[in-house]
């Protein structure tokens, strides 16, 4: 009974393992995103595509096993199907990825925090930061919906919670919904700390929590913008002396004796 070469067997094993790992994890993520409390996706991941690739993988593996059981030699074309399937699936993924948004959920959330910080500082009077919810709420109007899914549905809109008399930023926010901006104002209104309820950076599923990076809460700090100083009047340049004020020297006094005392002999 003939057998394919070890290189062919290893190539099929590697291709089958890569297909199972890549598209099995995609299928698991797509299924979990539809029921998780919060998931870090802008939209639901596709479910049919990874399921179809995995179904094709199972069929091709069956062909390879049939060839091994039948003792088919190296020239059996069924041994080439798994590497071909892997290359075709990766090519389709590459084409589909061209239309996807390259930013991740946590990156968009960090951008939103930066934008809110700039807009809030622009509302300061130069001495204190804004603290009226009615003044701060319109800043959310131009923001896109939060980049997270809540039980398979995109979070509807950002919300704002203003907390006066804070000594620092919020580190825990139990019970708050994803997409909540927590605006904490210091007692002297010289500083405000802005936190965001989302998922910790790097996590794809979980419960709502304050956005953190490397285990540390990410906070935007709002401070009063000092008023621009007036430029004032330009300094007056000294006027050049007029021709009437210029000293005149006659040609007769241009000798050395007229300009400086002659040396004593």
């Amino acid at each position: 009974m003939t057998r394919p070469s070890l290189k062919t067997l290893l190539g099929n094993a590697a291709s089958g393992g890569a297909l199972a790992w890549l598209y099995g994890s995609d299928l698991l993520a797509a299924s979990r995103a539809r029921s998780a409390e919060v998931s870090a996706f802008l939209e639901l991941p596709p479910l049919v595509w990874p399921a179809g690739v995995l179904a094709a993988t199972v069929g091709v593996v069956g062909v390879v096993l049939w060839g091994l059981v039948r003792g088919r030699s190296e020239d059996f074309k069924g041994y080439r199907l798994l590497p071909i399937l892997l290359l075709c699936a990766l090519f389709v993924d590459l084409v589909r990825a061209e239309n996807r948004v390259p930013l991740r959920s946590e990156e968009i959330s960090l951008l939103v925090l930066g934008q809110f910080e700039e807009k809030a500082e622009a509302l300061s009077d130069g001495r204190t930061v804004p603290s009226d919810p009615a003044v701060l709420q319109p800043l959310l109007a131009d923001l896109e919906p939060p980049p997270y899914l809540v039980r398979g549905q995109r979070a509807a809109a950002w919300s704002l919670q203003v907390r006066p008399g804070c000594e620092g930023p919020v580190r825990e926010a139990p019970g708050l919904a994803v997409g909540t901006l927590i605006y904490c104002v210091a007692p002297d209104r010289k500083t405000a700390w802005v936190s965001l309820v989302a998922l910790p950076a790097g996590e794809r599923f979980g419960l709502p929590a304050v956005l953190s990076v490397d285990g540390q809460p990410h906070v935007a700090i709002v401070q009063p913008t000092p008023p621009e100083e007036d430029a004032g009047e330009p300094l007056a340049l000294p006027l050049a002396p007029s021709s009437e004020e210029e000293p005149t020297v006659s040609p007769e006094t241009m000798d050395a004796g007229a300009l400086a005392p002659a040396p004593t002999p």
Side-chain angles (χ1 to χ4, degrees):
M1 180 180 294
T2 59
R3 286 286 186 273
S5 65
L6 180 61
K7 180 180 178 180
T8 299
L9 293 177
L10 291 177
N12 277 270
S15 300
L19 287 166
W21 177 64
L22 290 173
Y23 296 96
S25 59
D26 285 352
L27 181 61
L28 180 61
S31 301
R32 191 175 178 184
R34 284 159 169 78
S35 58
E37 180 70 24
V38 180
S39 53
F41 293 100
L42 303 182
E43 58 185 12
L44 280 174
L47 186 64
V48 177
W49 168 247
V53 174
L54 288 176
T57 301
V58 172
V60 174
V61 169
V63 174
V64 174
L65 293 178
W66 180 86
L68 292 175
V69 171
R70 293 291 183 175
R72 304 301 296 267
S73 61
E74 181 74 20
D75 58 355
F76 177 54
K77 295 183 179 180
Y79 298 143
R80 308 173 190 174
L81 294 179
L82 274 175
I84 291 175
L85 177 61
L86 176 61
L87 292 176
C88 291
L90 292 177
F91 176 76
V92 173
D93 278 342
L94 181 62
V95 173
R96 294 171 63 246
E98 293 181 355
N99 298 325
R100 295 179 183 174
V101 179
L103 294 178
R104 296 177 296 178
S105 297
E106 58 264 26
E107 294 172 340
I108 297 177
S109 298
L110 295 178
L111 290 176
V112 168
L113 274 178
Q115 293 175 359
F116 188 87
E117 173 192 351
E118 293 178 358
K119 293 180 179 180
E121 287 183 345
L123 295 176
S124 65
D125 58 7
R127 297 179 302 275
T128 59
V129 297
S131 60
D132 187 356
V135 174
L136 294 167
Q137 186 67 35
L139 300 182
L140 307 179
D142 297 333
L143 299 177
E144 294 292 330
Y148 294 92
L149 300 180
V150 179
R151 297 195 180 277
Q153 299 292 329
R154 181 76 177 264
W158 299 95
S159 59
L160 179 66
Q161 184 181 92
V162 179
R163 298 184 181 182
C166 296
E167 298 296 336
V170 171
R171 297 184 176 274
E172 296 181 357
L176 293 183
V178 169
T180 302
L181 291 168
I182 308 173
Y183 187 86
C184 291
V185 188
D188 58 2
R189 293 183 57 197
K190 299 291 186 181
T191 306
W193 300 273
V194 187
S195 305
L196 189 152
V197 179
L199 286 178
E203 294 188 11
R204 303 175 71 182
F205 306 97
L207 297 176
V210 173
L211 176 64
S212 60
V213 179
D214 297 331
Q216 297 297 324
H218 189 88
V219 180
I221 301 176
V222 180
Q223 294 179 326
T225 302
E228 297 181 0
E229 297 181 358
D230 296 335
E233 297 181 359
L235 297 176
L237 298 177
L239 298 177
S242 62
S243 59
E244 298 177 355
E245 298 177 355
E246 294 181 355
T248 57
V249 180
S250 60
E252 291 79 4
T253 60
M254 291 300 293
D255 59 342
L259 298 176
T264 305

